[in-house]
Every structure is written in structure tokens, then in C-alpha cells.
Amino acid sequence: MTTYYIGLMSGTSLDGIDAALLDLRQRPHLLAQHSHPLPDPLRQQLYQLQTPGENELSTMMRLDVELGRLFAEAVHALLAKADKRAGEIAAIGSHGQTLRHYPDGPTPSTLQIGDPNLIAELTGITTVADLRRRDLAAGGQGAPLVPAFHAAMFHRDGSNRAILNLGGIANLTLLPADNQAAVTGFDTGPGNGLLDSWIARHQQQRYDRDGEWAASGHVHPGLLERLLHDPYFARPPPKSTGREYFNLNWLQPALEPFADLAPRDVQATLCELSARSIAEALQAAMDPVEEVLICGGGIHNRALYQRLEALLTPARLASTAEAGLDPDWVEAAAFAWLAKQTLAGDPGNLPSVTGASHPVVLGGIYPGKGPRAEGRVTRDEEKLHHEDTKA
């Protein structure tokens, strides 16, 4: 039986589709990776759809199809790069693109698009998708889902270790030294998302390369304190959030008393907001923390990394590459692993992270072009059918 799985991830930063091929025979091993660009018109439409607007339903339906086709393209490109055939792949785990995430209140809900029916049809590979809503149905936040994979991949006995994913939103996984203790984790708040949005507005750049623009400005203490007073930061876990909350509309009221503040100083303050909110959340949740392994696009933001290093001393900061997995591909790898869990009938959530009432098998399964899809049944299925009719 094949042990190859593909993970697809398009995060809140909207910087492209990450496709990762893994061998999950034992410890996850990354075989190949591919970054598939989002065309600028599509990226802009997705960004606009992440905040309320007009005619959302027809736009969402169209983008669901466009993204499904693009995810399938990413899979074909990855297979070509890895010199693998579709028939060698057990399954694809597709996170999809989150448009809204509302885990609290009387009707908790979350929405990811990127039609898995199209992915399965166009690749011929069984696809596991819609991975968040079953956890919500069980009373959880539906996020973050990657801590279960972090625990499988990065836990080390005898050391309090944290995994920090610096995407558009930052999230933490806390791996206690005692392997019998519960793994916990939560979204801390902004990672790169506000930084990306602010530089896009003022310099028409998709991201702040190396954090150079933030480093050129000065942190404004008054603005920083206003931002840090948002109730989300004080809420205890379990908690999760997204770009539908932390966006430029969220920022605007806090900026009003500081109308003359230079854009670069706002960028510096947003960088400090990410660093401070992460450091304070981590220190409150795990004391002491000895090592922090960082993954996600934010690891390349030198200004943010240096502030985290200063704020988290004496904890040691390092890339997840030191523990065997390239930091740019951890999330995509996690969704390949979650697909394997689902096909095996094993839970993929951690109630200690999401707050769900119990572990659940995540997602829906969309069959590829195997015996079922071609209208055939296996000998084992024929035997079962024969026994059922006799009964």
C-alpha cells in the first residue's frame, strides 16, 4: 500500500498554494515541494471576499471552482517535479482557502473554498477536505488543527518546546517535556497579515521583505498599547481567529488619534504588535519554555524574528529545519498527515487545543479514480456484499 500523501495549503497571507509530497510510512519525510502562484486578479478577489461586501455568494461560487482547478494544477506540477504518478499517491489533504472563521457565538461556523470534487476529478487522487467543521460540530474552535501534527513530528522528551507558526495569523503549539501531559495550542493573533496589508496599501508590495520597512520606522507606544488592549489578546484558550477579524478595518479606529504618524512607523508598530502578542501569550501559557521552533513565512521577516528573540530570552529560537522539516512546508505537510489520519479512521483534532468535547475524524473524503470511482468493486467488497445478502 502506498505511503505517499500530498498536502495542499493556501493560508491567510494569500501568497500562493503550497503543495508538499510526503512519505508517511513512519516519521513524516518531505520528498518534494512546489509553490504555485495565485494570479493577482484571483488573489485580489479572495482578499476582498475575506471581508463583508456585496454579491458575495456568486463571487464565492466562482472562486470555489477557480481555486479547485488551481489546486489540481499545483498537484500536477508537484507530481511532475517529483517524477511520481497519481496512482502512487494515497490521498491529498486539502485545507482550502479560508474566507471566514467564526468559531464563537450561538452559530459557530467556518468556510474554506477550493472545490475538492474538482481536485479529485482532475487529479484522479482521493482528496480529503473540509477538515475544520467536524471539530466545530463537536464544540471545538475548528482551529488550529496543526498541533496534532506538530506533536507527532516535533515532540522531544525532557524539554518544554513550543512550535510557532508565523502565517498571516500566528499560532502556537505547546509540547510539554512530560509526554503524558496534554498538548495545547491556540491562535495568538496577527502574524504577517497586518504587515502585508499595510505595506500593500502604502508601497504596493505584497510583503515586507526581511522586515526592512518595519525596521526603518519607530514603534509608537500609544498606538501599540491601543492595539494590545483588544479583548482577543486577553481571552484564555481555546481560541482561534483569522483575517476576517485582524484586518485594516480593525486597525483603522486605533489609528484615528495618530493621523500624522508616518506609514513606516505604523509598520514598525504592527511588527512589534505581532512580536509582543506572541511573546506574552507564550510566556503566560508555558513557563518556562526552553525552545521555540518557528515555521511559516514570517520566519523570513528578520525584524520580527529579532524582536521575538529579544522578547523570549532565555528561550532558544530556531527553525523547524533543525528538527527535520523545512519551515516553509510545515503546514502543507500537516494536511497531508491529516488526510492519512482521516483515511485510517483516526482522529485529527486535539480537544486540549480546540476545546472540542471529544476527538473526531476530520473532513470529507472525495474518492479519486480508484475501483469505486470506476464503477468496480474489489473482491473483498464482493465478499461482504455476498455475506450481507445471505444474512
Side-chain angles (χ1 to χ4, degrees):
M1 182 178 178
T2 182
T3 57
Y4 298 148
Y5 289 78
I6 289 172
L8 296 175
M9 179 69 199
S10 179
T12 51
S13 292
L14 292 172
D15 51 4
I17 297 167
D18 291 339
L21 174 64
L22 281 89
D23 186 343
L24 297 180
R25 187 176 316 161
Q26 293 176 340
R27 193 168 187 268
H29 177 58
L30 182 65
L31 298 176
Q33 61 277 338
H34 172 69
S35 181
H36 204 75
L38 288 174
D40 280 340
L42 176 59
R43 191 173 62 85
Q44 289 299 324
Q45 290 173 81
L46 287 168
Y47 180 77
Q48 291 167 9
L49 199 54
Q50 286 180 335
T51 54
E54 296 180 356
N55 202 20
E56 291 179 333
L57 183 58
S58 61
T59 301
M60 185 203 76
M61 294 171 69
R62 177 171 52 79
L63 297 187
D64 185 40
V65 171
E66 289 186 27
L67 267 179
R69 293 186 183 280
L70 205 62
F71 282 135
E73 285 181 19
V75 170
H76 286 300
L78 176 66
L79 291 174
K81 189 176 289 187
D83 195 24
K84 299 290 182 186
R85 294 176 292 104
E88 297 178 75
I89 310 301
I92 295 166
S94 179
H95 172 270
Q97 178 65 57
T98 297
L99 294 183
R100 305 288 170 83
H101 184 67
Y102 299 127
D104 303 305
T107 54
S109 56
T110 188
L111 177 64
Q112 289 76 40
I113 63 171
D115 186 0
N117 296 282
L118 273 172
I119 299 172
E121 180 66 24
L122 296 175
T123 65
I125 302 171
T126 294
T127 300
V128 179
D130 192 18
L131 288 149
R132 297 194 180 277
R133 291 198 293 175
R134 185 59 186 271
D135 183 84
L136 277 174
Q141 291 273 313
L145 294 182
V146 291
F149 173 71
H150 289 164
M153 183 74 194
F154 298 123
H155 183 270
R156 187 171 70 181
D157 288 347
S159 175
N160 279 340
R161 175 181 269 185
I163 312 301
L164 170 60
N165 175 46
L166 281 174
I169 296 295
N171 57 66
L172 283 167
T173 300
L174 309 177
L175 304 175
D178 178 2
N179 64 8
Q180 298 303 310
V183 172
T184 56
F186 54 94
D187 289 347
T188 62
N192 307 314
L194 288 172
L195 295 166
D196 293 347
S197 296
W198 189 252
I199 198 170
R201 172 179 286 185
H202 289 276
Q203 296 205 341
Q204 293 73 53
Q205 301 293 320
R206 286 177 55 184
Y207 63 96
D208 188 0
R209 186 179 296 276
D210 294 328
E212 289 179 354
W213 198 42
S216 72
H218 299 282
V219 174
H220 190 283
L223 175 59
L224 179 63
E225 288 309 308
R226 285 175 69 92
L227 297 175
L228 283 170
H229 274 108
D230 186 277
Y232 182 83
F233 299 119
R235 273 179 49 195
K239 61 180 181 178
S240 59
T241 188
R243 203 166 193 161
E244 69 286 335
Y245 187 92
F246 287 108
N247 54 46
L248 293 186
N249 291 334
W250 172 85
L251 175 63
Q252 192 56 45
L255 281 175
E256 287 174 1
F258 312 107
D260 295 332
L261 196 58
R264 69 177 62 192
D265 293 336
V266 176
Q267 185 78 346
T269 305
L270 292 176
C271 184
E272 185 70 9
L273 171 69
S274 292
R276 277 273 300 274
S277 59
I278 291 165
E280 291 174 6
L282 177 54
Q283 289 161 344
M286 177 178 271
D287 185 25
V289 58
E290 294 151 33
E291 186 175 43
V292 181
L293 297 183
I294 301 181
C295 58
I299 196 171
H300 304 296
N301 185 320
R302 191 175 306 157
L304 179 56
Y305 190 98
Q306 288 174 347
R307 286 303 296 144
L308 285 167
E309 205 165 33
L311 291 167
L312 291 172
T313 299
R316 175 179 173 269
L317 269 62
S319 163
T320 54
E322 286 196 11
L325 193 54
D326 187 311
D328 289 321
W329 302 99
V330 172
E331 275 202 293
F335 284 92
W337 184 86
L338 286 169
K340 182 174 183 287
Q341 292 292 107
T342 297
L343 290 188
D346 293 330
N349 67 332
L350 290 177
S352 58
V353 171
T354 67
S357 59
H358 59 278
V360 292
V361 179
L362 299 175
I365 300 172
Y366 301 78
K369 295 177 181 176
R372 292 176 187 271
E374 293 171 6
R376 301 195 305 271
V377 294
T378 64
R379 289 183 179 179
D380 287 342
E381 288 172 321
E382 283 185 305
K383 182 180 177 183
L384 285 171
H385 176 69
H386 182 63
E387 289 174 352
D388 286 344
T389 53
K390 284 198 301 182

